[in-house]
Amino acid sequence: MDVLEELGYSHLTVDSVNELRSHLQDRISACEEGGDEADVDERLETFYEEDVLQKIIGKLEEIESEPDKNEPEIQLQSALLKCVKTLMNNQVGIDTVTESGPLVDCLTLNLDSEDVLICTQVLELLAVITVSSEEGFRVVLCSCDYFKAIKRERVRFFSLVNALVANETSVVFKRDIMLFLNTLVNSAPTLEERVEIRADLMYTGLLEGIEQLKALTSDEAVGTSELSDEHYELEVQLQVFETVLHNDNSEAIVAYAGEGMMNLSDPEQIFRALHSQCVEFDCFDLFLAILQYMAAIPTYTELGKQQWQGIERCIYRIVTGKEDECGLAYDGLVATLNTKEAMEDLAMKVASLTDTNKKAEKKAGLSKERIADLEAQLAKQQEEMEALRNKVASAPETERPKGVLDTDQKADMEKMQSEIATLRDAVAKLEVFRTKVTELEAAAAAGGGGGGGPSVPVPIKDDPKYAKYFKMLKMHLPKPAVAMKATADGLDPSFLDLDPSSPSPSGLMTGGGGGGGGGG
């Protein structure tokens, strides 16, 4: 007999739904008692054939379609979602939902609720379906397309990212949104699918949002010496997103560029490599706009051919900086791409040093303020000492105190003079560092490559072969789990015991006349 009919619930209330949930749990427990796994699955399948799940989700759809929900309806919505969670508390229940795309679509529409608790419940259920199987992943992804069409979003995940970056959104809900987005991206079975999902996320402005969220999880923003659990968990989710993004970009370069260079005769490979780079460096919206403009060129007319020739001339001049007639040969194009790669590497080094320089300048500014403050105190002490000497000198001989008159003042003055000397030395060193950064920036602006100095070993934490594993450790992933990942990748995990700053075992060098090559 149908469970809803059995309990006589023609009109559901919060109390009746809570009672229904308890009854469903009892029915599921009864199905799971006794017999082998096959018998249990058969009993559960018979139970789920009563369409209880479908009717509950249908009631959820009915409530969701109401334009202005009152508080009792919101409470009923939450209670029904708890029922769905109870029914999905075993693999047969998850499979039942997964096999019916419309059920997941109805579930996803509840993400439009203004109640944070309801949205959190839906995200949790969708995450369970996503990780259950590859089919579950695809069903959830299709439901995101359905949500986009029904809610008239510009791009998938637009509403979720908007909630993520909104100032009024709680840190807990921000964490839950990032957890769901990471679950969806990381469950994609292929690199192409991960890149496609991430491209939609980039279009919504997620990268800028992540930078804002990083500031939110900083010690200065929190205002305490230690982050709360919620802030820390949000920070971890942000790091996971960026780490997987970086790893996918590296994989894309290998997949689409062979041994460091893409096949320039393969248009599809060039497009994929460009697409991956634009996603990585947050240029996807510009890349898409350029493609949309080119799609409007009437290639079947003479005017269209002239427009394509004009585009080629413009791009040639932008890339090479030359005004001569374009027609870059294959070798010339390879040389141009090699120069581009060297310049990008130099630009990344300059950006890293510039960031370090900013921090150094901040410290130098604080040091200079401290020096000025100490000098002011020293001047005041000297004035007081001079006044004291004058007073002593003008006093009668018999009234002058015996022994040391100003031992404490002298000790204070000597301490301040010593601190001033130490701070001035630190500022001088920072000025030397700033000069080096300026020289590097000048070299980058002039298009220079590496210097002529001696080659030095690359620290193991910066070697592309090992860097991602040290990043995992930095994200507080368990060391045994990281070691298992390294072993799966064909590496001896003993390198994890090395000092991250020690030279890389691969022998990779930096500096000198050019960059080194990565390990296999």
Side-chain angles (χ1 to χ4, degrees):
M1 182 185 295
D2 184 283
V3 175
L4 295 178
E5 292 178 358
E6 179 181 290
L7 297 176
Y9 292 147
S10 58
H11 176 69
L12 294 177
T13 64
V14 174
D15 289 339
S16 64
V17 171
N18 287 335
E19 187 178 344
L20 170 62
R21 180 158 62 96
S22 176
H23 181 81
L24 292 173
Q25 183 60 62
D26 292 341
R27 288 284 300 273
I28 292 171
S29 298
C31 291
E32 292 174 340
E33 288 179 358
D36 57 21
E37 185 176 348
D39 291 337
V40 170
D41 287 347
E42 183 178 355
R43 289 197 292 267
L44 285 172
E45 287 169 2
T46 302
F47 168 65
Y48 282 107
E49 285 174 358
E50 297 178 13
D51 292 340
V52 182
L53 191 55
Q54 289 84 339
K55 292 190 176 183
I56 291 175
I57 292 182
K59 184 65 177 179
L60 273 171
E61 183 180 20
E62 179 184 326
I63 297 174
E64 192 282 328
S65 61
E66 293 292 332
D68 298 311
K69 302 177 194 59
N70 54 37
E71 187 61 29
E73 287 175 325
I74 293 175
Q75 292 177 0
L76 179 59
Q77 195 175 7
S78 178
L80 286 167
L81 285 169
K82 291 177 182 177
C83 274
V84 175
K85 183 177 180 179
T86 298
L87 289 166
M88 286 176 55
N89 202 26
N90 57 75
Q91 190 60 49
V92 176
I94 295 173
D95 292 342
T96 301
V97 177
T98 302
E99 290 166 4
S100 177
L103 292 183
V104 184
D105 291 343
C106 295
L107 199 59
T108 306
L109 287 178
N110 288 269
L111 283 174
D112 197 37
S113 173
E114 295 182 359
D115 187 87
V116 172
L117 177 60
I118 288 175
C119 292
T120 301
Q121 288 175 287
V122 174
L123 289 176
E124 181 182 353
L125 294 171
L126 292 178
V128 170
I129 298 171
T130 301
V131 300
S132 65
S133 64
E134 183 175 331
E135 183 184 358
F137 159 76
R138 301 202 183 285
V139 168
V140 171
L141 199 58
C142 288
S143 75
C144 293
D145 287 324
Y146 179 76
F147 184 93
K148 169 179 172 280
I150 296 298
K151 302 301 178 180
R152 299 179 181 273
E153 290 186 320
R154 288 189 294 168
V155 66
R156 288 183 300 186
F157 318 116
F158 187 82
S159 299
L160 277 178
V161 175
N162 263 2
L164 177 68
V165 301
N167 293 330
E168 61 270 17
T169 302
S170 68
V171 173
V172 175
F173 190 40
K174 289 177 186 287
R175 175 204 62 192
D176 293 339
I177 293 174
M178 276 306 306
L179 177 60
F180 171 72
L181 294 178
N182 278 330
T183 300
L184 191 62
V185 173
N186 299 341
S187 297
T190 66
L191 173 64
E192 288 80 3
E193 287 173 306
R194 291 197 297 276
V195 170
E196 182 182 353
I197 296 170
R198 204 179 285 115
D200 283 348
L201 292 171
M202 300 306 167
Y203 189 79
T204 64
L206 181 61
L207 282 185
E208 295 89 340
I210 286 177
E211 292 305 315
Q212 296 174 17
L213 293 173
K214 283 182 183 176
L216 177 68
T217 58
S218 67
D219 292 340
E220 293 83 359
V222 176
T224 58
S225 58
E226 295 184 3
L227 294 176
S228 66
D229 290 344
E230 293 79 11
H231 283 87
Y232 174 74
E233 290 165 0
L234 174 59
E235 183 180 34
V236 169
Q237 292 304 320
L238 298 176
Q239 291 174 349
V240 168
F241 184 87
E242 290 189 322
T243 300
V244 177
L245 171 62
H246 174 76
N247 291 345
D248 279 353
N249 186 60
S250 300
E251 184 180 342
I253 291 173
V254 174
Y256 301 138
E259 298 298 323
M261 176 59 64
M262 71 185 80
N263 181 2
L264 297 175
S265 301
D266 186 345
E268 184 176 351
Q269 192 176 121
I270 293 174
F271 174 83
R272 288 177 175 174
L274 287 174
H275 182 263
S276 176
Q277 291 175 14
C278 288
V279 169
E280 167 75 8
F281 296 104
D282 197 22
C283 300
F284 177 75
D285 52 343
L286 299 174
F287 178 65
L288 181 60
I290 291 171
L291 293 178
Q292 289 169 342
Y293 285 130
M294 289 195 297
I297 296 176
T299 53
Y300 47 84
T301 66
E302 188 62 30
L303 175 61
K305 293 179 181 178
Q306 292 174 2
Q307 289 175 339
W308 279 111
Q309 291 169 355
I311 290 173
E312 183 190 11
R313 282 194 296 272
C314 288
I315 295 176
Y316 172 80
R317 289 168 183 169
I318 291 171
V319 172
T320 65
K322 298 178 182 179
E323 294 292 335
D324 57 350
E325 193 65 28
C326 64
L328 202 61
Y330 182 87
D331 291 341
L333 187 53
V334 170
T336 299
L337 290 173
N338 284 335
T339 302
K340 171 195 170 191
E341 185 175 334
M343 288 298 295
E344 286 177 347
D345 182 60
L346 182 58
M348 290 177 67
K349 291 179 181 177
V350 170
S352 176
L353 282 173
T354 301
D355 181 60
T356 306
N357 185 41
K358 287 179 180 178
K359 295 177 181 177
E361 284 181 345
K362 183 178 179 181
K363 292 181 180 178
L366 294 174
S367 298
K368 288 178 179 178
E369 290 177 6
R370 178 62 176 156
I371 290 172
D373 181 55
L374 287 172
E375 287 179 338
Q377 292 183 40
L378 185 59
K380 184 178 179 181
Q381 289 277 358
Q382 288 172 336
E383 289 177 4
E384 292 176 355
M385 285 291 297
E386 189 63 30
L388 184 58
R389 287 194 184 96
N390 292 338
K391 183 177 180 180
V392 171
S394 61
E397 186 72 26
T398 56
E399 295 181 10
R400 296 183 185 181
K402 303 298 182 182
V404 180
L405 294 174
D406 50 4
T407 301
D408 293 339
Q409 289 94 335
K410 283 184 177 179
D412 289 341
M413 289 171 62
E414 289 172 358
K415 182 179 179 182
M416 284 189 285
Q417 287 173 335
S418 174
E419 187 172 351
I420 288 173
T422 301
L423 288 170
R424 280 180 172 159
D425 182 57
V427 171
K429 291 179 180 179
L430 290 171
E431 292 293 345
V432 172
F433 177 78
R434 186 185 303 166
T435 301
K436 291 182 179 179
V437 172
T438 303
E439 291 173 355
L440 267 175
E441 289 176 335
S455 297
V456 294
V458 170
I460 186 171
K461 66 182 177 62
D462 296 329
D463 188 333
K465 183 176 180 180
Y466 304 104
K468 67 178 181 179
Y469 306 104
F470 285 97
K471 285 184 179 179
M472 291 177 186
L473 292 176
K474 189 175 180 182
M475 290 166 53
H476 307 286
L477 292 178
K479 190 172 181 179
V482 179
M484 289 178 62
K485 172 62 176 171
T487 303
D489 292 341
L491 297 176
D492 181 356
S494 61
F495 71 86
L496 294 170
D497 297 325
L498 298 176
D499 184 341
S501 300
S502 63
S504 172
S506 69
L508 188 64
M509 308 291 286
T510 186

